[in-house]
Amino acid sequence: MIGQAEQDRMWKFFQNEGIKAARFDISRQQFMVRQCRAGQSVLNIGVGDGTSEQLALARGIDVYSLDPDAKAIARLREALSLGEKAQVGYAQNMPFESEQFDVVIMAEVIEHLEDETLHKSLEEVLRVLKPKWGLILSTPYRENLEAAKVFCPYCEKKFHPYGHVQSFDKARLLDLLQSLGYHPVRVKLTTFVRWYPLSPTRIIRSAVRLLLARFGDPIADPRLVAWAYKPVGGA
């Protein structure tokens, strides 16, 4: 089992020395940012390589960031002049005011969280969201966690190479969000593709991947995307 300390060490590496080896999918980040509008206050949880913040600023979004890694946050503050809008911290105990944000983005985050942390984090998201506004998240679809594990010849332990500890299907994700007080909730099965620069080959490949993903075919790297809202009078 991968605990919080191990997750922190893993992502400290991926977001700094190993940033080129990590899977910070530009297509996913573009998709997430396109869900937001200019002028909205948006919190991005888990900064990755900082591309989401760059895309958000280019669209006129009032973007904030949260990540446990101080080095990644410092780099983001310097590169994008985010100042105190970029904070070191955890989703289960956020250093932000209640009802501060129009949108919270959690792209490829929840699969890293143990059950207790997962519930506390989603409850915290409800706290910092304004009523009627929402969370957008993505996560792998029905990932076989055991099959994805690799073996370390030094410590002789098996572990997931990206620290995943949760696997979701549409029903589980929908039930989880609704049980915590989100309403309404919409969950979609898709994948993230790049359409540009346009070419016949790229269009065909992307269209085929999208079609396969909607049937949950593993070759298409399917993802669940959820839009979940804080009701008026919610947490």
Side-chain angles (χ1 to χ4, degrees):
M1 193 66 70
I2 296 178
Q4 187 68 66
E6 289 81 7
Q7 291 275 7
D8 288 353
R9 287 197 294 269
M10 179 179 293
W11 287 98
K12 182 177 182 180
F13 167 76
F14 279 132
Q15 293 183 155
N16 296 289
E17 294 92 333
I19 199 165
K20 292 183 179 179
R23 297 178 62 186
F24 302 124
D25 185 354
I26 181 65
S27 301
R28 180 185 72 236
Q29 297 182 79
Q30 290 171 333
F31 178 93
M32 291 294 178
V33 173
R34 283 200 302 268
Q35 310 307 303
C36 309
R37 300 197 301 268
Q40 287 185 318
S41 57
V42 175
L43 171 62
N44 183 40
I45 298 177
V47 302
D49 61 358
T51 297
S52 291
E53 283 76 7
Q54 294 178 47
L55 293 169
L57 290 172
R59 289 176 66 91
I61 293 166
D62 185 20
V63 66
Y64 291 70
S65 302
L66 179 71
D67 196 278
D69 182 44
K71 188 173 181 180
I73 288 294
R75 186 177 65 248
L76 204 60
R77 286 180 171 182
E78 181 179 357
L80 302 179
S81 302
L82 288 183
E84 295 301 310
K85 291 183 178 180
Q87 290 285 331
V88 177
Y90 293 95
Q92 65 267 30
N93 186 23
M94 289 194 260
F96 298 109
E97 299 294 327
S98 297
E99 300 186 0
Q100 183 172 346
F101 300 107
D102 298 313
V103 179
V104 174
I105 294 174
M106 297 181 78
E108 312 296 297
V109 172
I110 62 172
E111 63 271 18
H112 298 272
L113 307 179
E114 298 288 354
D115 287 341
E116 183 178 357
T117 304
L118 174 63
H119 285 79
K120 287 183 177 179
S121 297
L122 292 172
E123 289 168 352
E124 270 286 89
V125 171
L126 269 180
R127 180 184 68 81
V128 301
L129 275 173
K130 298 175 184 177
K132 297 196 296 184
W133 294 94
L135 162 70
I136 175 171
L137 65 82
S138 68
T139 190
Y141 172 67
R142 299 183 65 181
E143 182 181 13
N144 186 332
L145 297 175
E146 197 60 35
K149 287 182 178 179
V150 296
F151 176 76
C152 175
Y154 299 100
C155 68
E156 298 186 348
K157 292 182 179 180
K158 293 175 68 178
F159 62 97
H160 191 287
Y162 293 106
H164 295 182
V165 296
Q166 302 278 359
S167 180
F168 295 90
D169 59 17
K170 291 180 73 171
R172 185 190 175 204
L173 184 56
L174 182 65
D175 288 347
L176 171 66
L177 293 167
Q178 289 178 334
S179 71
L180 292 172
Y182 290 88
H183 180 78
V185 179
R186 180 165 67 96
V187 179
K188 176 182 178 181
L189 181 56
T190 187
T191 193
F192 303 112
V193 297
R194 295 186 68 177
W195 298 102
Y196 300 97
L198 287 174
S199 71
T201 300
R202 183 183 294 276
I203 292 171
I204 292 169
R205 286 179 177 175
S206 296
V208 169
R209 273 194 67 203
L210 278 174
L211 180 63
L212 292 174
R214 287 169 184 168
F215 287 97
D217 193 318
I219 197 171
D221 194 22
R223 289 295 194 266
L224 292 170
V225 177
W227 293 261
Y229 296 87
K230 178 177 180 175
V232 175

